[in-house]
Amino acid sequence: MMEIECGDGDERRAIRQKLDKRILPWLFALGVVCYLDRTNLSYAAVELNRDLQFSCKTYGLGAGLFFLGYAVCQVPSSRVFFYFGMPYLCSTIILWGIVAGSFALVQSSTAFLLLRVLLGVFESGTFPCMWAYLARFYSPEELGASYAYISTSTALAQIIGSPIAAGILLMDGFGGISGWQWLFIIEGITSVCFGIILYHALPSAPKTALFLTPEDREWLQEKQDGYITKHQTHKDGALSTIWRECCRFWTVMKDWRTLYLSVVLFAITQAMYGCVFFIPMIIHSFFFSSPSSQEGDVAVSACSDGESSSGSGEGAVVAILSMVPFASAAICMIIVGKMSESANERRYHAAIPVCLGAIFMMTTPGMMHLGIPVMAFISLTLAAAALWSYHGPFMTWPVVFFERENATLAFAIMNSIGSAGGFFGNTILGILAEATGGYGIAMVCIGIVLLLGGLAIILMPRPEREMPRPEREMSRDDVESDTLLGEQGALRRKNDEMTTTGT
């Protein structure tokens, strides 16, 4: 068995650098493409609602229904990936690209809502599969930072998507096709092409990574064999495999840490995805709504009711302005992620940004009510910047609490339950906006739920980490675990006491 001794830090770092250079950019690009197809509805919203006569309630329901399919299929998709790997992931990319392009053909609310559910089904496994794919190449101490880097794609997608959407929306009328239809067609075709390219670009495992030397491939494969899922070593029949997977799912699902983090994530995502799908229309209400729509206790106007004079020009301007909150979010996400990694602390690096995001979100309607749209825009930008910063510290928690395979499953369960918040947030935003004639009350309600989520992170009991292995000699795995948990974690591991570092 090939070994790279602990003193060969330079060689290990060289392998890590090769992985970062050849794998992370592709997965980052996948995250961007996924989010573009998921959220391009927000840029099309003003014109789509105008042309198809969709109300706020219909639009919010459609935006939210994506997360029902997404939540239901996320855990099964992550498990299927373990058996079929990259071919499965790339096939889902192609399928969601076809569905995304089909939105250009929508003429009724029924077709709109059905396609949103299907899009959620096909996109459901993307981020859990990326987590599982990274687990094939990175150790536990490396996995958190690697995934945090990929997670910044969720904010960068909005930055990239804004000018792209603005340019495509200006094609309104070209070939007799509306701008919002061109948006779905072009981005759908892009996803299909990307799925085909990705299949040929990434290796399925360390042993097939041709960008590594044969010696590096052998060492990395042997190292990761200690982490890769145990079910790959089983030779049982299909029924035994299904039973084993069900038992594993129940074990992780009933763990209080999984449930607690899932509920907290629900509170966060209901606000985050509410921002994603409604920010363009909220910004439109800041600068393009009629004076009469800004009167009364609720200071922001609701969805287009078909009588708006909004055209492709306004839609393009709104798309560009929407880039500002997400650019701020991407910057803050990276800064907070690095601060959390440097301090080896997750709790307050996740909780404080969430609480600040809630405060700024609830402040935004007040600024608009005072007749200061610029300050409302700044407040909305600060809310997005703070809210997205939770990602790195929070989403890497499962790898601290669980073994590698259980950590991947816990991540999928968290994402599945948490994603249901996207349905709740968007649906509530649409219903309240239509009922009240504005977004003010809806933003305050969502901000309150978000604030409770931030407080829940602070109040979370300090969990006890699973013991990594039956044997307790200091293996290299233990060294990596201790690196993740800090010096106090190493001492407490030896005494089987409760871990207090890294949480």
Side-chain angles (χ1 to χ4, degrees):
M1 180 177 179
M2 179 182 176
E3 293 286 347
I4 293 181
E5 300 297 334
C6 291
D8 299 334
D10 291 340
E11 188 168 356
R12 293 201 305 274
R13 282 192 293 272
I15 295 175
R16 167 72 184 273
Q17 290 173 356
K18 291 179 182 179
L19 294 176
D20 290 349
K21 182 178 179 180
R22 298 298 296 271
I23 291 178
L24 294 187
W26 283 105
L27 295 185
F28 184 90
L30 173 57
V32 171
V33 172
C34 178
Y35 247 70
L36 284 177
D37 274 347
R38 181 184 306 183
T39 62
N40 57 13
L41 175 64
S42 64
Y43 299 116
V46 174
E47 295 184 17
L48 181 145
N49 289 341
R50 178 200 64 202
D51 290 351
L52 301 183
Q53 300 290 297
F54 286 170
S55 65
C56 262
K57 183 178 179 180
T58 300
Y59 173 80
L61 180 61
L65 279 176
F66 167 91
F67 296 99
L68 285 187
Y70 191 82
V72 169
C73 297
Q74 192 160 114
V75 174
S77 294
S78 69
R79 302 311 297 165
V80 172
F81 177 82
F82 278 107
Y83 293 95
F84 297 99
M86 289 302 294
Y88 170 75
L89 176 59
C90 294
S91 65
T92 62
I93 297 172
I94 294 171
L95 288 172
W96 97 50
I98 294 173
V99 172
S102 299
F103 277 92
L105 304 176
V106 166
Q107 295 297 324
S108 67
S109 60
T110 301
F112 171 67
L113 298 177
L114 178 60
L115 285 176
R116 287 298 295 176
V117 174
L118 288 177
L119 187 64
V121 169
F122 292 130
E123 285 196 18
S124 61
T126 304
F127 281 89
C129 287
M130 283 197 286
W131 172 284
Y133 182 80
L134 288 174
R136 296 183 174 187
F137 293 87
Y138 291 89
S139 66
E141 66 182 15
E142 300 165 337
L143 181 59
S146 300
Y147 184 79
Y149 168 79
I150 292 174
S151 68
T152 60
S153 64
T154 61
L156 186 63
Q158 303 302 113
I159 303 172
I160 298 174
S162 296
I164 292 176
I168 296 176
L169 288 172
L170 290 176
M171 296 174 61
D172 186 44
F174 181 77
I177 299 175
S178 299
W180 63 268
Q181 291 175 307
W182 276 118
L183 183 62
F184 289 120
I185 292 171
I186 293 175
E187 294 190 356
I189 293 174
T190 301
S191 296
V192 172
C193 295
F194 186 83
I196 297 173
I197 294 171
L198 188 68
Y199 177 75
H200 298 282
L202 288 180
S204 59
K207 63 183 178 182
T208 62
L210 299 181
F211 56 84
L212 298 176
T213 65
E215 294 79 11
D216 289 345
R217 290 199 296 268
E218 181 183 352
W219 174 78
L220 184 60
Q221 185 66 63
E222 291 180 350
K223 186 191 79 161
Q224 293 305 110
D225 281 342
Y227 303 126
I228 290 178
T229 55
K230 297 184 181 76
H231 74 262
Q232 292 177 329
T233 64
H234 292 310
K235 304 298 181 182
D236 302 337
L239 291 178
S240 297
T241 300
I242 294 173
W243 174 252
R244 186 171 58 253
E245 291 295 337
C246 290
C247 291
R248 187 188 308 280
F249 172 81
W250 176 246
T251 298
V252 177
M253 178 69 184
K254 70 180 181 179
D255 191 295
W256 72 266
R257 297 167 294 189
T258 304
L259 296 175
Y260 195 99
L261 292 175
S262 298
V263 172
V264 172
L265 189 58
F266 179 96
I268 295 173
T269 55
Q270 57 90 33
M272 188 174 73
Y273 286 120
C275 286
V276 167
F277 287 101
F278 276 87
I279 270 184
M281 287 192 295
I282 293 174
I283 291 176
H284 183 272
S285 73
F286 288 167
F287 302 108
F288 296 104
S289 59
S290 61
S292 61
S293 67
Q294 297 180 6
E295 297 175 356
D297 292 335
V298 181
V300 287
S301 61
C303 299
S304 172
D305 59 2
E307 299 177 358
S308 171
S309 62
S310 173
S312 60
E314 285 187 8
V317 173
V318 168
I320 292 296
L321 289 176
S322 299
M323 179 174 62
V324 177
F326 296 109
S328 303
I331 295 172
C332 290
M333 184 187 296
I334 294 173
I335 292 174
V336 173
K338 288 186 176 296
M339 290 173 60
S340 173
E341 183 179 7
S342 175
N344 195 28
E345 197 279 330
R346 289 173 173 80
R347 183 186 303 272
Y348 293 103
H349 282 85
I352 293 176
V354 170
C355 292
L356 288 176
I359 293 172
F360 285 120
M361 182 171 292
M362 291 186 287
T363 302
T364 300
M367 293 294 101
M368 196 60 191
H369 181 63
L370 294 175
I372 318 176
V374 173
M375 289 301 300
F377 179 73
I378 293 174
S379 181
L380 185 65
T381 298
L382 292 174
L387 178 55
W388 256 258
S389 300
Y390 90 97
H391 234 288
F394 186 86
M395 297 305 291
T396 56
W397 241 325
V399 79
V400 177
F401 300 155
F402 297 105
E403 289 287 350
R404 169 56 52 90
E405 185 175 7
N406 286 351
T408 303
L409 185 54
F411 177 85
I413 294 173
M414 283 171 53
N415 251 352
S416 182
I417 297 176
S419 295
F423 173 77
F424 174 83
N426 283 286
T427 303
I428 291 299
L429 259 171
I431 291 174
L432 291 180
E434 184 170 334
T436 62
Y439 299 112
I441 294 178
M443 293 180 70
V444 170
C445 291
I446 286 178
I448 291 174
V449 176
L450 179 62
L451 183 60
L452 293 176
L455 295 176
I457 297 176
I458 296 175
L459 299 175
M460 177 178 174
R462 295 193 180 276
E464 183 177 352
R465 191 177 191 270
E466 292 180 356
M467 299 303 293
R469 299 183 213 312
E471 63 274 11
R472 299 313 305 149
E473 61 268 15
M474 277 296 291
S475 64
R476 186 167 183 269
D477 297 331
D478 291 328
V479 173
E480 291 176 341
S481 177
D482 290 347
T483 302
L484 179 66
L485 296 176
E487 296 180 0
Q488 292 184 0
L491 295 174
R492 292 175 184 272
R493 177 188 57 76
K494 295 176 182 178
N495 296 309
D496 294 338
E497 295 177 358
M498 186 170 297
T499 300
T500 58
T501 330
T503 60

